[in-house]
Amino acid sequence: MCGIVGAVSLANVVPVLVQGLQRLEYRGYDSCGVAVHAQGLKRARSTSRVSELMSQIEADHLQSGTGIAHTRWATHGAPAVHNAHPHFSSGPGSLESLKDKPGRVALVHNGIIENHDELRAQLQAKGYAFQSQTDTEVIGHLIDSHYQGDLLEAVKATVRDLHGAYAIAVFCKDEPHRLVGARSGSPLILGVGKDQTTHYLASDAMALAGVTDQIVYLEEGDVVDLHLKHYTILDASFKTLSTQERPVRTVVAHSGAAELGPYRHYMQKEIFEQPRAIADTLEGILGITPELFNGSKASAAEVFEQIDSVLILACGTSYYSGCTAKYWLEGIAKMPTQVEVASEYRYRDSVPNPKTLIVTISQSGETADTLAALRHAHSQGMHHSLTICNVQTSAMVRECELAYITRAGVEVGVASTKAFTAQLAGLFLLTLSLAKVRGHLSQEQEDRQLTAMRHLPLALQAVLALEPQIMGWADEFARMDNALFLGRGLHYPIALEGALKLKEISYIHAEAYPAGELKHGPLALVTSSMPVVTVAPNDALLEKLKSNMHEVRARGGLLYVLADADSQIQSAEGLHVIRMPEHYGLLSPILHVVPLQLLAYHTACARGTDVDKPRNLAKSVTVE
């Protein structure tokens, strides 16, 4: 969601800006643009892909040593060129008079300004006219209104008035080779050029991969002033900081995912990368120990001894991994566990417990709702925190005491697949570690579970071999408008995740329920045109689940069942069965989710949707 790239250099920075946007495309966007300082302000904007923007740039011969670029995911105002970033401010004047008036300030922005209506009214009273429906244009006009020859001072005056979340990059016509950035609630990094004559701003280190590996992570409230041969960082109180306070770190950021190879889409590729992602996530683990979760701020062994409960905070797919972990943590570690939707948690009255371990789960580590929920928990006196995250350098990792870094690799497809199963692997390790600390895991149990985890990559390969059978199901699902997913116990969250995947990329309305709830309402929806997907492992709840399946069949419903090999569920009219290669006990959710991913993927392909970039969605959700 929303990407920023900016640079000041003696050389032409436009190729770097465009390359950065290409590397941020995976985050999701619906418009993009570039602005440069070229004897005044010039820009190109598009509601198409970055490739189309490149054509505009080439046609307009945009070149400059100072520039900013942006990919936008619409919040305020529809996806349209006039709402696309960068935005210009040309000072007060009517819309008609501004048409031929060159801009003075150019700005890009990630985040949401909550008091934009109030600020807009104030600026309109001063004679500023607005050409977009965005909250971002308010910031540009505000900077222009404060500008008296020093861009840094204008930005400092502006951020005092902003309420909400923002990461901004801005330059001014009157000050070539100067770029100012600021952040609060949205990520922004500084890239230090290899020759010390070029400096960069970006929302993600990946945008600068191959350009520089020297990164400074800006903290909450920081303002940064970039020039050709030097930069200055100020904190939230505008005190100038030393290099010790904001050190330069060497960060090796991957330039993007590998080529698609034999796959049609990145989502398909990432589904098939799950055996490797799990193997990498578990690499080097010889035994269960709290040290697996040590962070830069604390010892996991000490923290685990002090806690008596767990609170998991996450959104979307990561929330469902947390729901699965609740069954593990309470069933194996005997640890009382709550799972909260991060976007809801901080807006309700809750009862804080200082002995609670806050566990955040996020693929990117920059999910705005989850970060805000984490900070709220910290403000409530719950300081013990751990993150399960796929990005070592993310804000989530920096702000939590402890961390477990999954090694799923770059995930390009908006619909998460390999990141989800890697999260489950990390959460299962956390469960075993807490169980061991609390005296609920014998050496024999530890050895048995570690053996099962090491076998996961091979077991996943066997599940992936079911793809041809799942494609047959997908051809039927592609003609449907609705679907139900059922699961019990550990597999209810997997049913939820399966329904989410189907609706995300195929646009089929899908809902998931605990199978026992079927007769308490959802059964009213069951007809011959309502497929019911059932996750049916051979566990203690199988016989109960079979009764729920009979309820569906008795109403003429169509059942699509993922059954273990020894579950004795046979295909029949209206009952379609795909057999999983083996029953995998407590780790079964990691295997059973893969056919649901494949079902969503092939259904979307059959319907002709944009699998990797589904409409209205973004990969990294960095606004509330």
Side-chain angles (χ1 to χ4, degrees):
M1 176 179 284
C2 293
I4 288 174
V5 193
V8 290
S9 176
L10 289 172
N12 177 26
V13 300
V14 173
V16 172
L17 300 179
V18 173
Q19 176 182 273
L21 293 187
Q22 290 173 323
R23 289 176 176 165
L24 295 177
E25 283 191 287
Y26 79 99
R27 295 164 70 106
Y29 67 103
D30 43 46
S31 64
C32 52
V34 169
V36 297
H37 192 296
Q39 297 179 335
L41 304 189
K42 296 182 180 179
R43 67 184 170 188
R45 298 184 292 178
S46 173
T47 54
S48 186
R49 295 300 181 198
V50 174
S51 56
E52 196 277 333
L53 179 69
M54 290 172 62
S55 299
Q56 283 192 51
I57 290 169
E58 291 169 1
D60 294 340
H61 305 291
L62 292 187
Q63 295 186 39
S64 177
T66 303
I68 52 178
H70 192 263
T71 53
R72 175 181 185 251
W73 187 83
T75 54
H76 296 69
V81 171
H82 68 278
N83 287 325
H85 301 211
H87 287 285
F88 286 175
S89 180
S90 305
S94 67
L95 286 177
E96 188 64 31
S97 68
L98 292 174
K99 284 182 179 178
D100 300 318
K101 188 176 179 181
R104 180 164 73 162
V105 170
L107 172 90
V108 292
H109 162 231
N110 288 355
I112 291 178
I113 304 304
E114 295 174 356
N115 61 332
H116 69 96
D117 284 334
E118 173 190 340
L119 295 173
R120 182 184 293 258
Q122 294 173 7
L123 289 160
Q124 286 173 329
K126 293 180 180 180
Y128 282 88
F130 286 79
Q131 302 180 53
S132 77
Q133 288 79 49
T134 68
D135 53 339
T136 298
E137 194 177 2
V138 167
I139 309 173
H141 288 332
L142 203 55
I143 292 171
D144 181 270
S145 72
H146 288 301
Y147 186 74
Q148 295 181 351
D150 189 325
L151 184 60
L152 177 62
E153 292 303 316
V155 170
K156 287 163 59 177
T158 295
V159 298
R160 291 189 184 102
D161 295 331
L162 301 180
H163 300 160
Y166 58 83
I168 62 172
V170 56
F171 67 87
C172 179
K173 174 179 69 69
D174 300 335
E175 297 183 76
H177 293 121
R178 189 181 198 185
L179 183 63
V180 175
R183 65 147 297 190
S184 178
S186 289
L188 191 67
I189 63 168
L190 161 66
V192 180
K194 297 174 184 177
D195 58 2
Q196 297 294 315
T197 62
T198 304
H199 295 103
Y200 309 92
L201 289 177
S203 52
D204 188 324
M206 186 185 296
L208 304 180
V211 176
T212 182
D213 60 0
Q214 300 299 291
I215 302 297
V216 178
Y217 287 97
L218 301 177
E219 299 295 336
E220 194 74 0
D222 281 358
V223 179
V224 59
D225 186 13
L226 277 62
H227 297 263
L228 281 176
K229 296 186 178 181
H230 70 278
Y231 63 86
T232 304
I233 301 175
L234 295 79
D235 67 11
S237 65
F238 302 140
K239 182 191 82 171
T240 301
L241 301 174
S242 68
T243 53
Q244 286 75 32
E245 291 172 290
R246 295 291 184 271
V248 177
R249 306 176 188 274
T250 300
V251 176
V252 180
H254 299 289
S255 61
E259 294 298 318
L260 280 171
Y263 302 104
R264 291 177 60 187
H265 300 93
Y266 280 107
M267 182 179 178
Q268 185 187 29
K269 174 178 177 285
E270 288 155 8
I271 290 171
F272 277 81
E273 285 178 338
Q274 287 177 109
R276 179 204 56 77
I278 294 294
D280 288 350
T281 296
L282 301 177
E283 184 180 7
I285 295 175
L286 303 176
I288 300 300
T289 169
E291 282 67 35
L292 294 172
F293 301 90
N294 280 350
S296 59
K297 298 181 180 179
S299 159
E302 294 178 5
V303 171
F304 288 178
E305 290 288 351
Q306 298 174 41
I307 62 171
D308 62 9
S309 60
V310 171
L311 171 59
I312 297 174
L313 303 172
C315 301
T317 286
S318 296
Y319 172 74
Y320 295 144
S321 70
C323 291
T324 307
K326 175 181 172 72
Y327 287 90
W328 287 334
L329 286 162
E330 294 196 338
I332 302 171
K334 312 303 178 187
M335 178 70 80
T337 301
Q338 285 182 274
V339 188
E340 296 258 9
V341 175
S343 59
E344 290 291 322
Y345 167 68
R346 69 185 175 119
Y347 294 115
R348 71 173 185 83
D349 292 331
S350 57
V351 181
N353 173 11
K355 293 185 177 181
T356 294
L357 176 66
I358 304 299
V359 176
T360 64
I361 310 170
S362 170
Q363 187 282 136
S364 68
E366 304 289 352
T367 308
D369 287 320
T370 308
L371 278 169
L374 170 67
R375 292 163 185 161
H376 176 70
H378 284 166
S379 74
Q380 297 290 301
M382 295 186 286
H383 298 296
H384 296 313
S385 55
L386 180 153
T387 188
I388 306 290
C389 182
N390 196 41
V391 182
Q392 173 75 59
T393 56
S394 64
M396 208 83 71
V397 173
R398 296 197 303 275
E399 295 191 25
C400 285
E401 278 188 324
L402 310 174
Y404 189 83
I405 308 302
T406 58
R407 298 176 186 171
V410 175
E411 190 177 60
V412 176
V414 166
S416 181
T417 52
K418 63 178 181 175
F420 176 73
T421 48
Q423 287 170 355
L424 290 177
L427 288 163
F428 194 72
L429 286 173
L430 175 63
T431 299
L432 297 181
S433 182
L434 288 172
K436 189 171 184 178
V437 168
R438 293 167 65 83
H440 299 301
L441 187 73
S442 67
Q443 188 60 53
E444 179 186 353
Q445 291 170 324
E446 177 181 344
D447 293 342
R448 186 169 67 250
Q449 296 297 352
L450 279 175
T451 297
M453 293 194 81
R454 292 183 184 120
H455 182 61
L456 275 173
L458 282 176
L460 284 166
Q461 292 283 13
V463 175
L464 289 167
L466 299 173
E467 185 180 32
Q469 297 179 58
I470 295 165
M471 291 171 70
W473 283 13
D475 289 339
E476 299 177 27
F477 270 70
R479 298 190 294 270
M480 304 297 182
D481 295 318
N482 303 281
L484 285 176
F485 286 70
L486 303 178
R488 297 201 75 141
L490 265 176
H491 296 82
Y492 168 49
I494 299 307
L496 287 165
E497 172 62 9
L500 176 62
K501 283 292 157 286
L502 189 67
K503 71 180 79 170
E504 277 182 312
I505 62 171
S506 75
Y507 314 146
I508 292 173
H509 175 247
E511 300 293 341
Y513 288 89
E517 283 295 294
L518 190 63
K519 56 187 173 292
H520 295 290
L523 198 58
L525 298 173
V526 172
T527 67
S528 59
S529 60
M530 171 73 81
V532 180
V533 180
T534 307
V535 184
N538 190 9
D539 59 17
L541 293 171
L542 179 61
E543 293 306 316
K544 299 288 186 184
L545 187 62
K546 287 180 178 178
S547 297
N548 304 135
M549 290 163 56
H550 284 301
E551 293 169 355
V552 172
R553 294 193 71 192
R555 275 77 180 176
L558 299 175
L559 278 165
Y560 294 80
V561 183
L562 293 169
D564 286 341
D566 55 354
S567 62
Q568 297 182 353
I569 299 174
Q570 304 297 327
S571 294
E573 185 177 352
L575 174 59
H576 309 275
V577 179
I578 290 179
R579 299 200 177 281
M580 300 287 285
E582 58 184 308
H583 176 55
Y584 222 67
L586 291 169
L587 290 168
S588 175
I590 296 177
L591 300 187
H592 268 88
V593 76
V594 175
L596 301 181
Q597 296 169 348
L598 287 168
L599 176 61
Y601 170 74
H602 285 292
T603 301
C605 289
R607 288 169 70 95
T609 62
D610 190 341
V611 172
D612 287 332
K613 297 182 178 71
R615 68 189 182 203
N616 305 332
L617 300 180
K619 182 64 181 174
S620 180
V621 184
T622 55
V623 298
E624 184 177 1

